[in-house]
Amino acid sequence: MVKIALNIKANLDNIEELKPCGPDFRWCVQFTCSNCGEKSDKWNYISLSDQVPAEHGRDVFHFSCKCKLCSRVNTVTILGDSVKSYGVEDLEKFKRIVVFDCRGIEPSNFSAREGWIAKAIDGGKEFRDVDLSEGEWADYCDKIQQPVGIYEIEHNFERIK
Ligand code: ZN
């Protein structure tokens, strides 16, 4: 099993914190099978609130799939306490926001999609259900009377010990 961290970088405009909405947040990823190398182009949603029991033993996974090429069953567990937010202090750099415990597969791509919460600076509004499907998001906060936005989202994956 391999632990893979997802790191993101974004440009925040009058936003102090960007975070997943909670256990129901769905991480949207593509996987590559570590056994046969099959790089799937299917997008999969993985959520802490989806639990898949193991066929044997008592382990619980958050995602399980059978490789369509080699038929091996691969699983992923989200490390719940690894989920972090991205904030103004992280600007200009990548920050680790979640760690996946991967057995037999590794993530090859990530799409931010929906379900984010963004909090405006200076005690401004908390925007719920922020949609980053287009790679950016913009709105207006009437509390601080400023435009707010999230732009230039980038990601990478990192193998960790
Ligand atoms: Zn395979």
Side-chain angles (χ1 to χ4, degrees):
M1 85 193 172
V2 188
K3 287 196 173 73
I4 309 270
L6 169 67
N7 304 316
I8 64 160
K9 188 168 125 179
N11 208 340
L12 306 178
D13 182 18
N14 293 327
I15 291 292
E16 69 176 19
E17 188 185 26
L18 171 69
K19 64 180 180 189
C21 63
D24 291 333
F25 182 83
R26 302 192 304 159
W27 302 94
C28 184
V29 284
Q30 288 177 322
F31 288 108
T32 296
C33 177
S34 310
N35 186 42
C36 70
E38 165 75 356
K39 193 170 187 291
S40 173
D41 54 10
K42 181 174 181 245
W43 287 104
N44 304 282
Y45 283 107
I46 308 180
S47 166
L48 271 171
S49 58
D50 287 338
Q51 302 211 331
V52 188
E55 281 181 42
H56 308 288
R58 276 187 287 175
D59 285 349
V60 171
F61 307 111
H62 296 114
F63 177 74
S64 166
C65 70
K66 193 174 192 175
C67 175
K68 62 178 196 260
L69 212 67
C70 72
S71 298
R72 206 163 76 158
V73 176
N74 300 316
T75 60
V76 177
T77 303
I78 301 168
L79 303 186
D81 57 2
S82 71
V83 179
K84 298 282 186 289
S85 59
Y86 189 88
V88 281
E89 66 280 7
D90 306 311
L91 287 175
E92 309 286 321
K93 50 186 189 246
F94 282 95
K95 163 127 186 241
R96 179 183 298 170
I97 57 161
V98 67
V99 176
F100 302 112
D101 188 343
C102 301
R103 298 177 203 199
I105 39 177
E106 288 191 22
S108 54
N109 201 0
F110 164 70
S111 176
R113 308 275 168 115
E114 305 158 282
W116 298 87
I117 292 175
K119 176 137 190 14
I121 56 165
D122 300 333
K125 263 168 76 174
E126 185 174 79
F127 293 86
R128 305 188 75 87
D129 211 13
V130 168
D131 185 348
L132 295 172
S133 302
E134 303 295 326
E136 58 182 34
W137 167 85
D139 207 324
Y140 182 82
C141 177
D142 42 26
K143 254 169 130 178
I144 58 167
Q145 302 195 333
Q146 295 285 337
V148 291
I150 297 159
Y151 305 97
E152 294 166 38
I153 300 165
E154 295 176 55
H155 76 271
N156 63 36
F157 294 107
E158 179 193 358
R159 260 172 189 257
I160 56 175
K161 302 268 182 220

